[in-house]
Each structure stands twice: as C-alpha cells, then as structure tokens.
Amino acid sequence: MGNDTMVREDVLQLLREAECSEEFTRQFAAAMDQESVAGQLRLLRAQRCRQLERLHDEEHKLDQLDYLRYRLEKQLPGGTVREGART
C-alpha cells in the first residue's frame, strides 16, 4: 500500500458527504475492491456531471425567483426596495 492510497472508509465518507447515492457508493466500492483506478475515475466523472446538472437546475430556479423579485420590485414606487429591506 503506497502513500497515495486512500483509506477505504475515508473515501466512502467523502462520497457520503458529497451526497452520492448508495448505489453509486456501492459501485465505487466495487471498483476500489477491483483496484480499478480507471473505473473509479469513470464513476467520479459521471457522478460529477450528474451533480453539476443538478446544480444548474438549482441555479435556474434561483434565476426564476430573482426575476419574479425584480418584476415585483418594479411595481414599487421608485422601482426598488430600499437596501435594508432586501433579504
């Protein structure tokens, strides 16, 4: 075992903290058991893409809320809420 080898429990904890699914975690653990670094990297790339897509979906939702807030603020006298009243 080299210095660069990550401890299995540390890796699984990182995956839990990243809110990876149980299925993904099982697949990743299996790739670890097979000592397939290429397989682990493939899984991580795919997981990162899925999580990035979810992030973009959440950003879109925030954009929609910001647009609604903008439209409502335009209806106020002066066109905006005073700075201290914003959330």
Side-chain angles (χ1 to χ4, degrees):
M1 188 178 280
N3 289 337
D4 289 340
T5 303
M6 297 183 72
V7 177
R8 181 186 181 88
E9 283 307 311
D10 291 341
V11 170
L12 298 179
Q13 181 62 34
L14 284 171
L15 296 176
R16 284 190 290 272
E17 289 173 7
E19 297 184 5
C20 295
S21 69
E22 287 299 317
E23 177 61 25
F24 174 83
T25 303
R26 278 192 294 276
Q27 290 174 352
F28 196 86
M32 288 179 71
D33 292 342
Q34 296 169 1
E35 298 182 6
S36 173
V37 173
Q40 293 170 59
L41 288 171
R42 180 184 50 76
L43 287 165
L44 285 175
R45 281 192 294 273
Q47 180 66 21
R48 186 180 191 284
C49 286
R50 283 189 294 274
Q51 288 192 219
L52 188 57
E53 185 62 34
R54 287 196 306 259
L55 175 63
H56 289 160
D57 291 344
E58 292 302 316
E59 285 177 327
H60 178 71
K61 292 173 189 177
L62 288 172
D63 288 344
Q64 297 291 10
L65 293 174
D66 287 344
Y67 178 71
L68 177 57
R69 187 187 68 191
Y70 163 78
R71 294 291 306 263
L72 290 170
E73 287 176 349
K74 282 182 58 173
Q75 296 176 20
L76 293 173
T80 187
V81 175
R82 68 180 211 288
E83 195 62 34
R86 286 190 174 160
T87 56

